Amino acid sequence: MRLVFAPGDDQGYAGARDRLLEAFLTWSRRRRVSADVFLVAAALDYKYALDRRLGRWTRAHVADALGMWFPRHVTVLDADEVPEAFHALIDFLGDSDGLDSRSSSRAELHAQVRDSTPALLDGIADERNYDLGKFWGVQLRRHGVDPADPRAVQRFLDRARSGEVDIDRAALAEITRREEQTPRDPAPPPELPPVLLPSAADMVQAAQDSVALDLLRRLTGWVRAGRRLTRDGRLGLADALSLAELLGLDQLYRDTARKSTDLPDTSMMLHWAKAARLVRPVNGRLVQVKSAARDLHRPIELWRRVFGSVGRIGDHLGGTDVFGAPSLFGMSLADAFPILWLELYAAGGGPIPVELFHRLVREAVNDSCGCVVDDLAGDAEGRLWRRDVTALLDALELLGAVELGELLDTDELDGLVELSGREDPDPTIVSLTPMGLWAVHEMLIDQGLHAPLPGELADEDIEYVCVRMSDVRPAVAEAELDAWVAARASRDAARELTRFLARTDDPLHRDLALHALARTGSRGLAEAKRLRSVTDPADPRDDELLLS
């Protein structure tokens, strides 16, 4: 019996609700309890919409559901049946061990149902409390119109608008006014998974090993007191060739170069140094930025400074100002890359296809414009966008912020065709390195987003922890579960885990709970082995998994 759900898991909830209602009907027949299953389902819908925790009920939840939510959203033929359904749901969850540790007691919940019943009855009796959908649903039922018959519904609405049908027009006007004045709820912040961050020693080592940092240090030192720039703000060819040789870049282009922009890798490193505020043009010369000098010998500070400047390189890659005019997606890479960071961070260090990033950017721009705008772009502009994204990802790999790979599986490549809408999708996949995870974590914290670390769920009930850990990397899930066990007495942890294992029907949640149970001591380890052998007695990996 599943009671906790991840954000957006509407399909999983729908299936679990059906199974819960079947179990409820069986329980009610055995207990000879009379309750409208439609109203029980509505109560579960309320809790799913609120926090996706069907087993957490407090007095405040009951008061809100009965005093506000049911009168506004649920079409009820007999208002007296609503409290009966709530009493039955409370007892069903209590008898099924479904009320979690932070719920109010059964007695308190029943008392709140009784206390909130007057407000429920008053709210249902006054049609001004309804939302627009419920108002018209009540009118249809009141006038004997089948809601499943679209033609009959349309005829009724036409008659209502013409004044042929008697409805409470004052209530309708009040509902319409309220809904027009109600501001749209802002998009909720993303619910990010916990991630494992590198140690300080690992971060220093990663920064010292960064190829990009080494190149940028050498470039900054090469500038010294200043280098002369051309009228259009570029290095002269002689200086550009000297810099390319120093950095070991553009060997294939040096003999044929006629201007500095004919050395693409050297030009990119120069733009990157400018974007990171390591060097800057002043009065026709390229000079060092004095305030950045101290960071050149502080690996972590320099790494973070360079990472934060990546998006600003995009306006100058390849010697073209692609984004100085309306681009393929109407946004610069500096605006687009945070979309990539968030998606990569949500993957917790796992890979995502670059085509997903392209699609998310298209959708973001289309949503902001209210129409499909990227279809108007030319193919050449699309190639420039993709070229610049590829160049920046290569730069990030040089920095040590990401790792790049390719999808080779035929089925996965077919999925990319569908994802991208192209016959020749980019097979590149990208993932954050530990250093990249740290940098994005810092960026998200600076933006005011909650970016949890393992251990922050230690006070939660075990099903919630298992749901949150279902889609993260195994090392992160194990760290979170180990912290959960360590936060309570071993006996209490084992008791809660055993209760959860007795009712969960999700194989992944079961595996996570067994891992945690094995961490509660010798008895827990023995019980975890026994339960796993009952589930899969032929699996020789049991001991290895439990002891990992």
Side-chain angles (χ1 to χ4, degrees):
M1 184 170 68
R2 186 173 174 186
L3 298 172
V4 180
F5 301 88
D9 189 12
D10 296 347
Q11 185 174 358
Y13 167 67
R17 187 184 73 161
D18 290 344
R19 293 190 293 273
L20 270 172
L21 294 177
E22 289 176 7
F24 174 80
L25 287 172
T26 301
W27 173 87
S28 63
R29 284 194 294 269
R30 290 176 179 172
R31 293 299 184 95
R32 298 183 180 180
V33 172
S34 176
D36 187 334
V37 72
F38 164 77
L39 298 176
V40 173
L44 295 175
D45 290 345
Y46 158 79
K47 206 60 177 62
Y48 176 75
L50 180 69
D51 59 12
R52 304 179 305 279
R53 297 188 181 196
L54 310 187
R56 176 166 295 179
W57 287 90
T58 64
R59 294 191 68 138
H61 293 144
V62 173
D64 180 56
L66 293 178
M68 273 298 251
W69 197 80
F70 264 78
R72 181 148 297 177
H73 301 289
V74 183
T75 301
V76 179
L77 299 180
D78 184 352
D80 291 329
E81 292 183 350
V82 179
E84 295 175 1
F86 262 82
H87 284 302
L89 175 61
I90 292 165
D91 285 334
F92 165 67
L93 291 174
D95 290 349
S96 306
D97 199 23
L99 292 173
D100 75 16
S101 58
R102 294 192 181 180
S103 293
S104 301
S105 68
R106 274 209 247 184
E108 292 174 318
L109 295 175
H110 284 306
Q112 188 61 54
V113 172
R114 291 189 291 272
D115 292 345
S116 297
T117 295
L120 168 77
L121 299 178
D122 290 344
I124 291 177
D126 189 346
E127 292 186 355
R128 292 174 298 179
N129 293 319
Y130 301 175
D131 66 12
L132 203 55
K134 178 177 176 179
F135 176 85
W136 286 113
V138 169
Q139 309 311 313
L140 293 175
R141 291 180 179 276
R142 183 174 294 162
H143 291 84
V145 180
D146 182 3
D149 184 344
R151 292 185 178 179
V153 171
Q154 189 58 54
R155 286 196 299 269
F156 174 79
L157 293 176
D158 291 341
R159 293 176 60 211
R161 292 191 185 98
S162 66
E164 299 177 37
V165 177
D166 182 26
I167 61 174
D168 189 337
R169 300 190 181 278
L172 177 59
E174 171 65 19
I175 294 169
T176 303
R177 182 194 63 78
R178 183 179 66 236
E179 297 206 353
E180 288 176 348
Q181 293 180 352
T182 300
R184 286 188 176 184
D185 292 335
E191 193 167 296
L192 299 169
V195 298
L196 289 173
L197 299 183
S199 66
D202 289 339
M203 290 169 61
V204 170
Q205 188 62 52
Q208 290 175 342
D209 293 342
S210 171
V211 174
L213 288 196
D214 179 58
L215 294 175
L216 289 168
R217 282 196 194 94
R218 284 195 269 165
L219 184 154
T220 306
W222 173 85
V223 169
R224 292 195 298 274
R227 297 282 176 168
R228 187 182 302 277
L229 298 175
T230 63
R231 290 183 178 180
D232 57 1
R234 306 179 192 276
L235 283 177
L237 179 59
D239 275 343
L241 288 170
S242 171
L243 179 58
E245 184 176 0
L246 174 71
L247 301 182
L249 300 175
D250 294 316
Q251 286 92 342
L252 297 177
Y253 301 101
R254 293 180 199 169
D255 292 340
T256 57
R258 294 294 177 266
K259 55 185 183 298
S260 63
T261 54
D262 293 335
L263 303 170
D265 292 339
T266 305
S267 295
M268 191 200 71
M269 294 307 301
L270 183 59
H271 288 307
W272 201 351
K274 292 178 182 178
R277 307 293 191 265
L278 298 175
V279 298
R280 65 190 179 105
V282 177
N283 297 327
R285 295 180 66 81
L286 185 68
V287 300
Q288 294 182 1
V289 176
K290 293 182 180 179
S291 62
R294 61 182 181 181
D295 284 348
L296 293 174
H297 306 290
R298 300 161 67 183
I300 302 300
E301 287 79 356
L302 180 60
W303 197 99
R304 185 176 185 180
R305 182 189 193 104
V306 172
F307 174 83
S309 68
V310 171
R312 296 193 293 272
I313 315 173
D315 292 348
H316 306 286
L317 285 171
T320 59
D321 191 4
V322 176
F323 301 105
S327 72
L328 173 63
F329 302 116
M331 71 164 63
S332 69
L333 283 171
D335 296 324
F337 259 57
I339 298 174
L340 178 63
W341 299 143
L342 191 61
E343 201 65 28
L344 285 171
Y345 191 87
I352 69 166
V354 173
E355 286 295 351
L356 176 60
F357 168 60
H358 292 309
R359 176 170 180 169
L360 291 173
V361 171
R362 289 200 305 271
E363 291 175 351
V365 174
N366 291 341
D367 287 345
S368 66
C369 296
C371 61
V372 178
V373 296
D374 54 283
D375 291 343
L376 303 177
D379 185 59
E381 194 174 9
R383 289 198 303 271
L384 287 174
W385 167 273
R386 287 172 173 269
R387 179 208 67 184
D388 288 357
V389 169
T390 299
L392 288 187
L393 290 176
D394 288 342
L396 286 164
E397 188 178 35
L398 277 180
L399 179 62
V402 303
E403 293 178 346
L404 301 179
E406 284 192 6
L407 289 178
L408 301 176
D409 183 84
T410 302
D411 291 339
E412 292 176 328
L413 290 173
D414 290 342
L416 283 186
V417 171
E418 182 178 354
L419 177 68
S420 65
R422 298 165 57 96
E423 292 300 323
D424 59 339
D426 187 343
T428 303
I429 55 175
V430 56
S431 57
L432 288 173
T433 63
M435 196 70 168
L437 278 172
W438 167 78
V440 179
H441 180 269
E442 294 290 298
M443 181 184 73
L444 296 173
I445 295 296
D446 289 344
Q447 294 173 359
L449 294 176
H450 179 54
L453 298 175
E456 292 189 24
L457 302 180
D459 293 334
E460 292 287 354
D461 62 278
I462 188 59
E463 183 173 10
Y464 181 78
V465 176
C466 288
V467 169
R468 289 291 305 277
M469 295 300 101
S470 295
D471 297 323
V472 305
R473 304 179 81 181
V476 178
E478 292 173 5
E480 188 66 69
L481 290 165
D482 291 350
W484 184 89
V485 171
R488 49 192 42 79
S490 296
R491 181 177 297 180
D492 293 338
R495 184 183 302 113
E496 185 172 346
L497 286 161
T498 302
R499 289 169 54 195
F500 174 59
L501 285 163
R503 67 172 175 81
T504 184
D505 54 6
D506 187 293
L508 181 53
H509 296 171
R510 182 178 180 82
D511 284 343
L512 292 170
L514 286 171
H515 169 88
L517 183 59
R519 293 293 197 268
T520 61
S522 56
R523 290 186 179 181
L525 176 60
E527 179 66 6
K529 287 182 178 180
R530 185 189 71 80
L531 291 172
R532 193 180 289 278
S533 66
V534 169
T535 304
D536 187 7
D539 191 344
R541 300 172 298 164
D542 290 344
D543 290 351
E544 180 182 350
L545 289 170
L546 289 169
L547 293 170
S548 64

